[in-house]
Amino acid sequence: MNLKRVVVTGLGALTPIGNTVPEYWNGLVNGVSGAAPITRFNAEKFRTKFACELKGFNAEDHIDKKEARKMDPFTQYGLVAVEEAMKDSGLDLEKINHDRAGVIWGSGIGGLKTFQDEVTAFNAGDGTPRFNPFFIPKMIADISAGYISIKYGFRGPNFVTVSACASATNALIDAFNYIRLNKADIIISGGSEAAVTEAGVGGFNAMKALSERNDSPQTASRPFDADRDGFVLGEGAGALILESLDHALARGAKIYAEVVGGGMSADANHITAPHPEGLGAMNVMINALSDAGLKPEEVDYINVHGTSTPLGDLSESTAILRVFGEHAYKLNISSTKSMTGHLLGAAGAIEAIASILAIKEQTVPPTINHFTDDERVDPKLNLTFNKAQKRKIRVALSNTFGFGGHNTSIIVKQYEA
Amino acid sequence: MSEIAQKVKAIIIDKLGVEESEVTPEASFTNDLGADSLDTVELIMEFEKEFNISIPDDQAENIGTVGQAISYLEENVKK
């Protein structure tokens, strides 16, 4: 069976360091941190009092007030990022086959705020159920893909992947595969998350997963630094238009990059801790390389999962050394979570975008906030500390790993005819 | 306009995102004001909350226009 080639023809980003793709990239190459004290709720009694929230975002600037009211923020974020990506793609909705256009979205949690608010209201009452009729359709994670399909009339494959922080990469890999298998011409993919709520911060705090560096939010996300103490919760969305190469060429589309491989694996070890030797992380990169038909030596840049947790960063750097051997030292590696924070189910989407833009701009965004080397991290690895680096990038790999032991990697390559 | 009618109109304008001029007594929630079945359920719940009453389902089914909502509430809230 001949597999179709798949390319990326549109990008959209709504992130804590920029509300559009150009602003996002500008933040990335300039090493901007999106962290600040939490404004969404009173975090006074919380162990972590900061997060990477969106800045200056008002859903009603983009979505009709009446519609916006029925959506959880995670759906609003998704629609806004998709709007940018669709415009960017130049797709003419009059000229495409809507039955071969799909939406495969990712969200780790879905409508957490909606769930929290409705249950809180119920518990404050006398036991009489007065749930809003929009409670369920606002909260369920898959509703994001539903709304996107309704907006654009995309009647092809439609669902949401849920694998915690790997969700968006799973969505991208599924979109890639369905187009490769000729089940669709175009798929809107990516992910969105809006978990900066009492339940989100409180829940991750209880797991001791979040940084508690309240005296210095902007330096809290410090992947691979000796003093890293957990991730910084982020929110937002990333959207990518994936299209078969044939379809993109036929309409004269601008092509950002080609998606050439996806890898998936499970740690099968522990619900939240990474495998100590990075077994799942190692396997997933090997799977992705094999799927892409690439040798490890062909990879130039790795956008790591690198969340700034003590265990996770170590396990991932160990896995990279095992997969890439001597070539590991020639790679550029960076964790853009040092700037954006961790967008959970949207992380894979904004990091795939960062990887694609790294290829387009031939620039590696940095891992900011590096102060002290961790002696357990091989010092010969180029982790692109603190400043962006110019280099030739033909192939980039992006890792995302999720609680539950889910691992995903996606490989994007400079488009060559 | 009664105080009840004013409150009913305000709820409809807020929940359905319509203009005040559209909220005439004859206006049907579904045919004229763009409500779907979930919107209608939400409206009834808002009326119940605002006026602190309980509207049984069989009676809620008969509330399809702005005027019907106002007269039902004027009749039942006063009691």
Side-chain angles (χ1 to χ4, degrees), chain A residues 66 69-70 131-132 134, chain B residues 15-16 34 38-39 42 45:
Chain A
K66 177 179 176 249
R69 200 176 60 76
K70 299 179 191 173
F131 291 97
N132 188 289
F134 293 102
Chain B
K15 293 295 169 192
L16 300 183
L38 295 181
D39 290 312
E42 193 185 27
M45 288 181 59

Side-chain angles (χ1 to χ4, degrees), chain A residues 40-54:
Chain A
R40 297 260 185 274
F41 62 91
N42 180 358
E44 202 182 320
K45 292 186 180 169
F46 285 66
R47 283 217 300 268
T48 297
K49 304 178 202 325
F50 61 96
C52 285
E53 295 177 350
L54 297 177

Side-chain angles (χ1 to χ4, degrees), chain B residues 54-67:
Chain B
S54 172
I55 306 175
D57 285 354
D58 58 344
Q59 297 185 33
E61 282 166 18
N62 298 323
I63 304 176
T65 67
V66 178

Side-chain angles (χ1 to χ4, degrees), chain A residues 373-391:
Chain A
D373 289 341
D374 179 343
E375 57 181 26
R376 293 164 303 172
V377 176
D378 191 327
K380 286 189 286 178
L381 290 173
N382 179 1
L383 290 154
T384 325
F385 283 133
N386 297 333
K387 266 200 159 35
Q389 292 175 15
K390 286 296 241 182
R391 74 166 281 166

Side-chain angles (χ1 to χ4, degrees), chain A residues 334-369:
Chain A
S334 73
S335 169
T336 44
K337 287 188 183 79
S338 58
M339 297 171 276
T340 62
H342 190 353
L343 270 64
L344 311 178
I350 65 162
E351 289 161 23
I353 293 171
S355 304
I356 288 165
L357 294 175
I359 291 174
K360 178 169 176 270
E361 305 293 340
Q362 298 286 292
T363 302
V364 181
T367 306
I368 65 163
N369 293 328

Side-chain angles (χ1 to χ4, degrees), chain B residues 4-76:
Chain B
I4 288 178
Q6 283 178 5
K7 283 183 177 168
V8 167
K9 280 193 160 190
I11 288 171
I12 294 169
I13 291 164
D14 177 49
K15 293 295 169 192
L16 300 183
V18 290
E19 295 297 323
E20 191 172 354
S21 58
E22 297 174 78
V23 189
T24 59
E26 303 77 38
S28 150
F29 300 140
T30 50
N31 297 332
D32 302 314
L33 302 178
D36 64 19
S37 59
L38 295 181
D39 290 312
T40 326
V41 176
E42 193 185 27
L43 273 183
I44 299 291
M45 288 181 59
E46 281 301 311
F47 297 150
E48 290 181 327
K49 196 159 84 182
E50 177 70 34
F51 299 107
N52 197 25
I53 60 164
S54 172
I55 306 175
D57 285 354
D58 58 344
Q59 297 185 33
E61 282 166 18
N62 298 323
I63 304 176
T65 67
V66 178
Q68 284 165 353
I70 292 171
S71 35
Y72 178 88
L73 290 165
E74 282 180 339
E75 210 167 289
N76 290 276

Side-chain angles (χ1 to χ4, degrees), chain A residues 161-186:
Chain A
T161 53
V162 177
S163 48
C165 310
S167 301
T169 309
N170 269 119
L172 289 166
I173 293 171
D174 279 7
F176 167 56
N177 281 331
Y178 280 108
I179 297 173
R180 251 199 318 187
L181 294 168
N182 199 22
K183 306 286 185 198
D185 298 326
I186 308 157

Side-chain angles (χ1 to χ4, degrees), chain A residues 129-342:
Chain A
R130 292 191 183 283
F131 291 97
N132 188 289
F134 293 102
F135 167 33
I136 301 292
K138 261 174 98 168
M139 175 269 291
I140 49 180
D142 56 283
I143 207 72
S144 46
Y147 269 110
I148 296 165
S149 72
I150 293 165
K151 178 165 179 188
Y152 298 100
F154 278 22
R155 297 186 296 256
N158 189 288
F159 57 90
V160 161
T161 53
V162 177
S163 48
C165 310
S167 301
T169 309
N170 269 119
L172 289 166
I173 293 171
D174 279 7
F176 167 56
N177 281 331
Y178 280 108
I179 297 173
R180 251 199 318 187
L181 294 168
N182 199 22
K183 306 286 185 198
D185 298 326
I186 308 157
I187 294 181
I188 297 174
S189 190
S192 57
E193 203 78 77
V196 185
T197 69
E198 292 88 334
V201 176
F204 283 119
N205 257 163
M207 298 172 68
K208 307 227 178 215
L210 297 181
S211 167
E212 297 177 18
R213 201 178 296 276
N214 292 309
D215 59 348
S216 180
Q218 300 218 328
T219 68
S221 186
R222 49 175 83 186
F224 305 103
D225 186 272
D227 300 318
R228 65 189 182 275
D229 72 331
F231 74 80
V232 178
L233 188 58
E235 60 170 1
L240 297 91
I241 309 300
L242 268 58
E243 197 170 345
S244 77
L245 176 62
D246 300 344
H247 196 272
L249 290 176
R251 68 181 184 90
K254 159 186 73 195
I255 294 173
Y256 279 101
E258 181 170 0
V259 183
V260 290
M264 296 177 270
S265 77
D267 277 5
N269 178 59
H270 184 271
I271 54 166
T272 56
H275 190 280
E277 283 99 46
L279 183 67
M282 190 178 82
N283 284 339
V284 78
M285 288 186 272
I286 292 170
N287 290 348
L289 287 166
S290 149
D291 190 42
L294 289 171
K295 294 190 203 72
E297 296 74 41
E298 291 180 273
V299 176
D300 303 297
Y301 168 47
I302 299 181
N303 185 300
V304 288
H305 188 54
T307 58
S308 186
T309 59
L311 290 177
D313 295 359
L314 209 56
S315 147
E316 191 173 8
S317 61
T318 306
I320 289 172
L321 282 164
R322 288 175 69 181
V323 173
F324 291 89
E326 277 297 308
H327 183 69
Y329 303 125
K330 294 182 190 154
L331 291 164
N332 262 85
I333 300 168
S334 73
S335 169
T336 44
K337 287 188 183 79
S338 58
M339 297 171 276
T340 62
H342 190 353

